[in-house]
Amino acid sequence: MLQMATKDEIRQFYHEEYTAKEIPDYITGNIHRREFAFDRIGKGPRDRYHQFNQLKYLERVIKAKMPYAAYSSVALYDNPTKREGWESAEFIVDVDAKDNPLRTCNCKEGMVCPHCLYEAKEIILHISDNLQEMGFKDIHYVYSGRGYHLRCQDKELMHSDSNIRSEIVNYIIAAQVPELEEGLQHFILPFGYSKVYTDWFKYTINHLQKDKLYPGLNRKLKLDVMKHKEQINQGQWGIVRGQIRPTRYDKLLVKIANLQQGLCDTKVSVDTKRILRLPSSLHYKVSMKCMAIKNIETFDPFSKAVPRFVDEKE
Ligand SMILES: [Zn+2]
């Protein structure tokens, strides 16, 4: 499992198994306003700017091209073939299991396993909670093949620009230290962004591994903070601050926020013209299906997103 598909297997998938019926309504409902793109040689989506007025034409083209990957824009345009007349775009959070800085498995770089895929789901659910706390409700999930996409379609967010999206994504993953009044740094409020930040902080601390390196977090500071895990889990920030010294504590807050910045691909969230892997298509690098998720709580990629050619091999 999770091996790269051969050209023959890709062909088999699109021949025997592919159906555009698995593309969710929120894409088929405005299909003519989206840009579609294909990766035909395994080197990225270079075949771009396609428009389809009907689902059956899209299906026909996908089955004929048998692409390494298929994509559709998160944006709606008047003219998708030129990406002109931008009307709105879904707000996306992209959590890729292989890029999660806090995964606790032993996967080699670029690889994924059931454990880190599970952790990717935990992260997308945590992010989703934070987005819902902000009042956003129209949220859909997609299993990307190697992680999860959250697609938010609340109207005000659909029409927002990159600056607002950037603020929102940094908020929901706690990528910045909360700004508190001088001298109050150690006192973190139990609501709003302070809560978002402290909840992620606890998650981060609880996922740090003794013998793993983390970008920007030196070993000594990491071991120091790991010693105070229990106190942090209990919210005793003042005590921790005193014990590891205020200046190091302040530094730690920044380092942890920086780590959290890597929980999702923020470039995807900010980009209002992004193309995103099309649910129903194959992620050939791991031989799994990218698919819309009905119930994320119970979703298990290994029972739902495995193409037939993989089942037949085992
Ligand atoms: Zn893993």
Side-chain angles (χ1 to χ4, degrees):
M1 264 196 182
L2 296 168
Q3 283 170 358
M4 198 183 281
T6 64
K7 188 72 200 152
D8 275 345
E9 288 167 342
I10 296 172
R11 196 174 298 134
Q12 188 186 343
F13 173 80
Y14 285 107
H15 250 245
E16 295 177 4
E17 193 174 343
Y18 184 78
T19 167
K21 287 197 188 87
E22 289 183 9
I23 299 174
D25 295 349
Y26 54 80
I27 294 176
T28 57
N30 47 36
I31 188 169
H32 60 291
R33 303 199 66 182
R34 294 187 191 249
E35 178 204 352
F36 286 82
F38 306 97
D39 175 356
R40 301 185 66 177
I41 51 171
K43 292 205 165 150
R46 294 183 185 167
D47 181 10
R48 293 194 61 169
Y49 310 116
H50 293 278
Q51 182 186 25
F52 297 94
N53 288 318
Q54 288 187 42
L55 189 61
K56 63 180 179 189
Y57 299 135
L58 172 63
E59 181 172 85
R60 214 174 282 168
V61 166
I62 288 182
K63 285 187 164 200
K65 288 189 195 239
M66 299 179 288
Y68 279 84
Y71 303 83
S72 74
S73 65
V74 299
L76 306 179
Y77 303 97
D78 292 334
N79 183 0
T81 60
K82 291 203 169 116
R83 301 208 295 171
E84 281 173 0
W86 184 95
E87 193 257 343
S88 61
E90 297 168 62
F91 173 77
I92 307 296
V93 180
D94 177 13
V95 175
D96 193 326
K98 75 171 172 15
D99 300 326
N100 170 14
L102 298 173
R103 61 180 177 168
T104 60
C105 60
N106 295 315
C107 274
K108 290 207 179 75
E109 215 188 305
M111 309 293 275
V112 293
C113 71
H115 186 73
C116 55
L117 283 172
Y118 177 77
E119 287 179 326
K121 182 168 130 173
E122 270 183 350
I123 290 171
I124 207 88
L125 285 171
H126 192 153
I127 289 173
S128 179
D129 285 347
N130 292 342
L131 207 51
Q132 290 176 60
E133 279 289 317
M134 295 178 84
F136 298 111
K137 294 189 189 81
D138 197 355
I139 293 172
H140 304 264
Y141 304 96
V142 168
Y143 177 66
S144 66
R146 211 161 44 182
Y148 292 85
H149 295 156
L150 176 156
R151 308 177 69 131
C152 184
Q153 294 158 9
D154 280 70
K155 256 211 176 119
E156 58 269 51
L157 211 42
M158 292 276 298
H159 289 93
S160 66
D161 64 17
S162 294
N163 293 332
I164 289 177
R165 288 169 196 247
S166 168
E167 277 179 33
I168 290 174
V169 74
N170 283 328
Y171 183 102
I172 55 183
I173 59 171
Q176 275 152 14
V177 178
E179 281 178 34
L180 293 171
E181 280 176 52
E182 190 94 16
L184 283 179
Q185 279 277 347
H186 63 285
F187 176 71
I188 299 204
L189 302 167
F191 54 84
Y193 185 58
S194 284
K195 182 175 186 313
V196 169
Y197 181 82
T198 51
D199 283 352
W200 271 125
F201 195 108
K202 287 177 192 171
Y203 181 92
T204 300
I205 297 299
N206 290 325
H207 285 75
L208 291 178
Q209 307 286 295
K210 245 194 194 142
D211 28 70
K212 228 176 131 175
L213 292 170
Y214 296 89
L217 183 66
N218 74 47
R219 203 179 130 73
K220 195 161 177 312
L221 194 57
K222 180 189 74 181
L223 293 176
D224 237 20
V225 70
M226 283 176 80
K227 265 192 258 163
H228 294 90
K229 200 155 104 172
E230 279 320 304
Q231 285 164 321
I232 288 169
N233 282 328
Q234 286 162 21
Q236 296 168 338
W237 301 94
I239 296 173
V240 176
R241 185 174 189 252
Q243 285 177 354
I244 70 167
R245 297 203 315 273
T247 46
R248 290 190 82 218
Y249 175 82
D250 288 350
K251 198 163 126 191
L252 178 70
L253 296 186
V254 175
K255 301 285 179 199
I256 296 294
N258 291 347
L259 260 185
Q260 284 158 191
Q261 182 135 47
L263 287 170
C264 69
D265 185 346
T266 54
K267 290 192 300 297
V268 175
S269 303
V270 169
D271 189 347
T272 58
K273 291 187 166 181
R274 195 82 180 183
I275 51 169
L276 203 62
R277 199 175 283 282
L278 180 69
S280 74
S281 67
L282 181 72
H283 194 317
Y284 85 99
K285 284 189 179 161
V286 281
S287 295
M288 285 196 114
K289 273 163 69 174
C290 170
M291 60 184 299
I293 297 172
K294 289 202 179 78
N295 182 346
I296 180 116
E297 304 282 347
T298 59
F299 178 78
D300 171 16
F302 295 95
S303 71
K304 299 267 194 233
V306 179
R308 232 177 278 158
F309 69 80
V310 174
D311 274 339
E312 284 167 6
K313 257 201 297 204
E314 273 155 21

